[in-house]
Amino acid sequence: MAEHDALTRERILEAAEDVLRRFGPQKANVVDVARALGVSHGSVYRHFASKADLREAVVRRWLEGVSAPLKAIVAEEGPAPQRLKRWLDALVTTKRSKRVSPDKELFAAYRALFDESGIAIETHVGELARQAAAIIEDGIARGEFRPVDPDETARALLDATTRFHNPAHAEEWSDPGIDASYEAVWRLVVAGLTV
Amino acid sequence: MAEHDALTRERILEAAEDVLRRFGPQKANVVDVARALGVSHGSVYRHFASKADLREAVVRRWLEGVSAPLKAIVAEEGPAPQRLKRWLDALVTTKRSKRVSPDKELFAAYRALFDESGIAIETHVGELARQAAAIIEDGIARGEFRPVDPDETARALLDATTRFHNPAHAEEWSDPGIDASYEAVWRLVVAGLTV
């Protein structure tokens, strides 16, 4: 009983991530995760209705791990152009760090899960766009940015930098010129935003 | 003998493209192409030293089919911002049209060939960047664009619009919002370029 009380959603999701990392995306099912935790699969089913439910929760948790630290930057003080750059740097750095060892297997596993979780991804991109739009809106209010449409411009900013944070381009992230390319795109984009 | 005289590089490449379209990228080899032409493989070897040589030539020809019409736009008269937009529209439209039926199989076959032809791709991107740089340079001379670095900015423009012309994103090209997204990125980028 004590064991079941301690079996939180969070503990299950941690175990699921560990199973994913060690055995690949095919293995993120309820039985494997229950085995890793040393509990019955019935115990896991008390928290997750199905394998699809568990997999979706694993993806959501990973995406929240990307967007939560970015949220803090949105709330920072100071000029919006620099804040937007810090925010974008953090997005690019987080996505990039998640693909390097020891998380390379995990990143690959998540990519496979992402392909089946279209809705979770769209929610994630929507959340990122809202964060960028908040900084852009603030920059307009501060007289630092032109009076653009914040939502449309936030999406355009994410689209324009897709090569640097979209996992579809992960293999290019070790190119020697990738940082210079990113800075050149940023300069082009910020020039279009600032007054 | 007459048959051999008529066997030009161009005829072989056309046959190779047809073989590719019908049988997939694994089949773009000298023997299959010779069979399709009704000639001996020795005849084909007079024009292409190896299977790799033939495949590389097929990729180059396809890429030239993309970049040649764009080159004409570079030489057009009139304001550089509009010319740059026409050029980019043509790039996006060509890439997109090449993936729709009846060329969908061919597009998929080329993607597979591209993955093994890193150098041909880099040459192609370099050629596109030079074309865009020429328009940007002209725009600076005409006083329409800020005095940016034309080469760096041309690369940044290609990077910023990668979602709309890079085959890695081909599956997104049928999204209902893709045209609006492209126009939003263009507006952001051109605002950064114009005086």
Side-chain angles (χ1 to χ4, degrees):
Chain A
M1 272 313 252
E3 181 205 90
H4 284 178
D5 289 341
L7 190 66
T8 58
R9 270 180 76 92
E10 185 59 22
R11 257 194 77 206
I12 295 169
L13 290 173
E14 275 169 20
E17 187 162 292
D18 196 49
V19 166
L20 260 182
R21 183 185 288 117
R22 286 188 293 153
F23 304 113
Q26 304 315 319
K27 282 289 186 182
N29 64 46
V30 172
V31 173
D32 289 304
V33 172
R35 191 177 296 137
L37 285 163
V39 302
S40 70
H41 62 270
S43 308
V44 176
Y45 275 121
R46 261 174 232 132
H47 295 270
F48 297 95
S50 65
K51 175 181 165 181
D53 192 25
L54 174 62
R55 290 162 79 98
E56 175 91 12
V58 165
V59 170
R60 277 187 200 282
R61 182 171 175 271
W62 193 88
L63 293 173
E64 278 161 23
V66 170
S67 67
L70 296 174
K71 207 169 183 173
I73 299 173
V74 176
E76 285 174 10
E77 300 285 317
Q82 288 84 326
R83 211 184 325 149
L84 190 58
K85 180 62 164 34
R86 284 200 301 278
W87 182 87
L88 201 59
D89 285 351
L91 173 63
V92 168
T93 307
T94 306
K95 289 291 182 85
R96 211 182 290 186
S97 72
K98 292 223 182 260
R99 83 173 280 263
V100 297
S101 188
D103 266 1
K104 201 168 177 175
E105 287 73 22
L106 190 60
F107 186 82
Y110 274 112
R111 281 196 62 181
L113 283 190
F114 289 166
D115 289 341
E116 67 178 57
S117 306
I119 294 165
I121 292 293
E122 183 42 38
T123 306
H124 175 63
V125 173
E127 163 66 18
L128 293 178
R130 269 190 300 282
Q131 292 185 4
I135 302 176
I136 293 167
E137 209 164 359
D138 194 38
I140 297 167
R142 294 169 60 102
E144 294 158 348
F145 287 147
R146 293 188 299 113
V148 293
D149 177 324
D151 295 316
E152 181 196 279
T153 307
R155 290 272 180 173
L157 176 71
L158 288 173
D159 278 345
T161 53
T162 199
R163 193 182 161 212
F164 312 106
H165 56 71
N166 184 326
H169 294 273
E171 273 155 35
E172 300 162 43
W173 296 346
S174 47
D175 288 357
I178 194 78
D179 290 327
S181 298
Y182 167 61
E183 295 297 334
V185 169
W186 166 255
R187 277 194 297 275
L188 186 59
V189 162
V190 77
L193 265 179
T194 42
V195 174
Chain B
M1 268 315 250
E3 181 203 271
H4 283 178
D5 288 340
L7 191 67
T8 58
R9 270 180 76 91
E10 185 59 23
R11 255 194 79 207
I12 295 169
L13 290 173
E14 275 168 20
E17 188 163 290
D18 197 46
V19 166
L20 259 182
R21 184 187 286 118
R22 285 189 293 152
F23 304 113
Q26 304 314 319
K27 282 288 184 179
N29 65 46
V30 172
V31 173
D32 288 304
V33 172
R35 191 176 298 137
L37 286 163
V39 302
S40 70
H41 62 269
S43 308
V44 176
Y45 275 121
R46 262 174 234 132
H47 296 270
F48 297 95
S50 64
K51 174 182 165 180
D53 194 24
L54 174 62
R55 291 163 77 98
E56 175 92 12
V58 165
V59 171
R60 277 188 200 281
R61 182 170 174 272
W62 193 89
L63 293 173
E64 278 161 23
V66 171
S67 67
L70 296 174
K71 207 169 183 173
I73 299 174
V74 176
E76 285 174 11
E77 300 286 315
Q82 287 85 325
R83 209 184 327 149
L84 190 58
K85 180 62 166 32
R86 283 199 301 279
W87 182 87
L88 202 58
D89 285 351
L91 173 63
V92 168
T93 307
T94 305
K95 289 292 182 87
R96 213 183 288 187
S97 73
K98 291 223 183 257
R99 81 173 282 261
V100 297
S101 188
D103 265 1
K104 201 167 175 176
E105 287 72 23
L106 190 61
F107 187 82
Y110 274 111
R111 282 197 61 180
L113 283 190
F114 289 166
D115 290 343
E116 67 180 55
S117 307
I119 293 164
I121 291 293
E122 183 42 39
T123 306
H124 174 62
V125 173
E127 163 65 17
L128 293 178
R130 267 190 303 280
Q131 292 185 3
I135 302 177
I136 293 167
E137 208 163 1
D138 193 37
I140 297 168
R142 294 169 60 101
E144 295 158 345
F145 288 147
R146 293 188 298 113
V148 294
D149 177 323
D151 295 318
E152 182 196 279
T153 306
R155 290 271 181 176
L157 176 72
L158 288 174
D159 278 346
T161 52
T162 198
R163 194 183 159 211
F164 311 105
H165 56 70
N166 184 325
H169 293 274
E171 275 156 35
E172 299 162 44
W173 295 346
S174 47
D175 288 356
I178 194 78
D179 290 327
S181 298
Y182 166 62
E183 295 297 334
V185 168
W186 167 255
R187 279 194 295 276
L188 186 58
V189 162
V190 77
L193 265 179
T194 42
V195 174

